[in-house]
């Protein structure tokens, strides 16, 4: 079968790789009908996240189940399904608490040996462990483009908002308007935020945030602090979501948030950085961090996608063929696309 494989920094290739086979009884095989290219794939592409040469990448997918092991009961052959970007055992200390994203045996699709050696979803077929927990049926009438957001990007935006305990009428600031930031904008409004201040520097992204209902503010040409203050009688945002993953964004998030508010560091941090603990402490901020618990959130997210209160379809800017993946990564790397959907 055809699959997008990592070859070295800046190089992916569409290769013929062995077809997956069922191993243990909890697994399923999915014929992938659409897969997404994600910002975390770009970390692999650039060699910042190390994976083996020849490993298949991708972790956002929609398709049809073609085989299931004996122990799989929630999905069956012929079901149209979507999946989460990661798997969990469902039984360890963390899974029993519902912290599936911190499962002791958790694995991530398309991220090489360090994250569990699960071959990726930018391929014609995908082997899915613990299928009852990882897969969901796609609700009737939902497009591939929308469904493949449920198991990663929208799940992450929704997680950020839920973790911040956004109350009806609250003011939320979102820093960074890539797909996760834009999903957070939508999720905040869907959960009842009274106002969302969306900050970025890319005009197209600001425009899309505006169309989604946010007050879009250019990071350097306008004044995010003034925009937030104007909406909150000078208090600051009830919650700020840093969807960038950069010390400057985290610092701004701490400054934009009101006393006793919440900052969610949703962007990826992997190194030691400086946080102005004085601001965090004096303002009594709550800091939320870490991967999104997409397995926990996938059902409520699907409900909202099915109802149309969340709709990521405007974020899909490109449809390309799996065979053109090298070009797709090139386009994505040049930041000319928000979300690229690959089809076989
Ligand atoms: Zn992703
Ligand atoms: Zn577990």
């Amino acid at each position: 079968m055809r699959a997008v494989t990592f070859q070295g920094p800046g190089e992916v290739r569409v290769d013929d790789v062995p077809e997956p086979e069922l191993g243990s009884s909890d697994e399923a095989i999915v014929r992938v009908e659409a897969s997404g290219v994600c910002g975390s794939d770009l970390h692999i592409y650039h060699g910042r996240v190390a994976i083996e040469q020849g490993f298949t990448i991708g972790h956002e997918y929609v398709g049809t189940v073609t085989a299931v092991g004996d122990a799989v009961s929630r999905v069956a052959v012929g079901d149209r399904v979507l999946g989460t970007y990661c798997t969990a055992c469902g039984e360890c200390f963390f899974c029993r608490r519902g912290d599936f994203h911190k499962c002791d045996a958790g694995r991530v699709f398309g991220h090489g040996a360090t994250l569990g050696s699960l071959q990726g979803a930018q391929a014609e077929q995908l082997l899915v462990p613990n299928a009852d927990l990882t897969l969901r049926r796609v609700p009737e009438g939902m497009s591939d483009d929308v469904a493949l957001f449920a198991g990663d990007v929208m799940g992450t935006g929704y997680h950020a908002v839920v973790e911040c305990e956004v109350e009806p009428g609250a003011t939320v600031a979102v820093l960074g308007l890539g797909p996760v930031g834009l999903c957070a904008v939508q999720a905040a409004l869907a959960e009842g935020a009274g106002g969302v201040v969306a900050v970025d520097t890319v005009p197209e992204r600001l425009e899309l945030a505006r169309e989604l209902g946010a007050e879009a503010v250019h990071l350097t040409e306008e004044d995010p602090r003034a925009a937030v203050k104007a909406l909150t009688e000078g208090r600051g945002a009830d919650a700020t979501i840093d969807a960038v993953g950069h010390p400057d964004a985290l610092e701004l998030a701490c400054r934009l948030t009101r006393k006793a508010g919440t900052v969610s560091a949703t962007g990826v941090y992997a190194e030691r950085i400086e946080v102005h603990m004085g601001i965090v402490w004096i303002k009594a901020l709550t800091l939320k961090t870490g991967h999104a618990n997409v397995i926990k959130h996938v059902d409520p997210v699907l409900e909202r996608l099915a109802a149309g209160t969340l709709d990521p379809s405007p974020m899909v800017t490109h449809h390309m063929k799996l065979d053109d993946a090298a070009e797709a990564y090139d386009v994505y790397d040049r930041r000319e696309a928000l979300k690229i959907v690959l089809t076989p």
Side-chain angles (χ1 to χ4, degrees), residues 197-219:
V197 175
V199 183
D200 202 297
T201 56
V202 181
E204 295 79 16
R205 296 180 176 199
L206 289 166
E207 183 52 38
L208 189 46
R210 198 172 289 124
E211 285 166 21
L212 296 176
E215 183 176 331
V217 178
H218 193 287
L219 174 67

Side-chain angles (χ1 to χ4, degrees), residues 126-155:
L126 182 69
L127 181 69
V128 179
N130 204 359
D132 281 345
L133 202 55
T134 315
L135 297 176
R136 294 293 185 281
R137 286 196 195 91
V138 178
E140 197 72 37
M142 187 179 290
S143 71
D144 288 352
D145 285 2
V146 168
L148 66 72
F149 276 79
D152 184 11
V153 179
M154 187 58 87

Side-chain angles (χ1 to χ4, degrees), residues 319-332:
H319 290 94
M320 297 174 79
K321 287 286 171 196
L322 186 69
D323 277 330
D324 298 328
E327 193 195 333
Y329 273 81
D330 210 34
V331 167
Y332 198 64

Side-chain angles (χ1 to χ4, degrees), residues 2-329:
R2 311 285 285 160
V4 181
T5 60
F6 174 76
Q7 293 300 322
E11 191 189 355
V12 298
R13 194 165 75 198
V14 181
D15 270 338
D16 277 314
V17 302
E19 293 194 358
E21 286 173 24
L22 286 181
S24 71
S25 60
D26 66 0
E27 295 174 347
I29 292 174
V30 173
R31 181 179 69 234
V32 179
E33 280 139 13
S35 61
V37 180
C38 179
S40 37
D41 296 326
L42 222 47
H43 291 306
I44 294 171
Y45 184 68
H46 286 298
R48 287 193 293 266
V49 170
I51 73 168
E52 302 75 41
Q53 187 188 4
F55 204 88
T56 301
I57 47 189
H59 54 271
E60 301 172 2
Y61 53 98
V62 179
T64 300
V65 177
T66 57
V68 293
D70 293 340
V72 175
S73 60
R74 291 184 63 176
V75 296
V77 171
D79 284 349
R80 189 166 158 253
V81 294
L82 65 112
T84 52
Y85 75 82
C86 58
T87 70
C89 75
E91 291 165 0
C92 71
F93 174 87
F94 297 100
C95 285
R96 287 200 310 273
R97 290 171 50 91
D99 292 329
F100 299 107
H101 57 321
K102 295 291 104 187
C103 173
D104 282 331
R107 304 163 78 188
V108 179
F109 290 97
H111 276 72
T114 47
L115 290 176
S117 289
L118 263 189
Q119 294 292 336
Q122 288 163 15
E124 289 175 324
Q125 295 182 62
L126 182 69
L127 181 69
V128 179
N130 204 359
D132 281 345
L133 202 55
T134 315
L135 297 176
R136 294 293 185 281
R137 286 196 195 91
V138 178
E140 197 72 37
M142 187 179 290
S143 71
D144 288 352
D145 285 2
V146 168
L148 66 72
F149 276 79
D152 184 11
V153 179
M154 187 58 87
T156 301
Y158 179 81
H159 175 91
V161 169
V162 170
E163 285 284 293
C164 287
E165 295 173 20
V166 170
E167 288 172 1
T171 299
V172 178
V174 177
L175 309 183
L177 302 174
V180 167
L182 288 167
C183 284
V185 166
Q186 261 197 352
L189 291 166
E191 295 307 299
V196 173
V197 175
V199 183
D200 202 297
T201 56
V202 181
E204 295 79 16
R205 296 180 176 199
L206 289 166
E207 183 52 38
L208 189 46
R210 198 172 289 124
E211 285 166 21
L212 296 176
E215 183 176 331
V217 178
H218 193 287
L219 174 67
T220 54
E221 291 170 7
E222 295 174 281
D223 185 351
R225 285 182 88 174
V228 167
K229 281 184 170 178
L231 281 180
T232 57
E233 296 166 332
R235 280 190 306 273
D238 298 295
T240 303
I241 294 164
D242 158 18
V244 179
H246 186 280
D248 293 347
L250 191 53
E251 168 101 14
L252 179 59
C254 293
R255 290 182 184 278
L256 290 181
T257 307
R258 67 160 164 80
K259 292 181 282 186
T262 303
V263 170
S264 169
T266 302
V268 176
Y269 288 92
E271 280 117 32
R272 175 190 291 252
I273 67 151
E274 227 169 74
V275 181
H276 196 322
M277 198 59 199
I279 293 177
V280 174
W281 197 91
I282 294 287
K283 292 173 82 171
L285 299 177
T286 298
L287 186 57
K288 302 278 186 172
T289 68
H291 282 113
N293 191 350
V294 290
I295 293 177
K296 178 179 173 186
H297 298 310
V298 69
D299 292 315
V301 165
L302 273 175
E303 268 171 39
R304 286 158 176 76
L305 291 170
T309 51
L310 298 176
D311 177 15
S313 51
M315 296 166 210
V316 178
T317 52
H318 293 64
H319 290 94
M320 297 174 79
K321 287 286 171 196
L322 186 69
D323 277 330
D324 298 328
E327 193 195 333
Y329 273 81

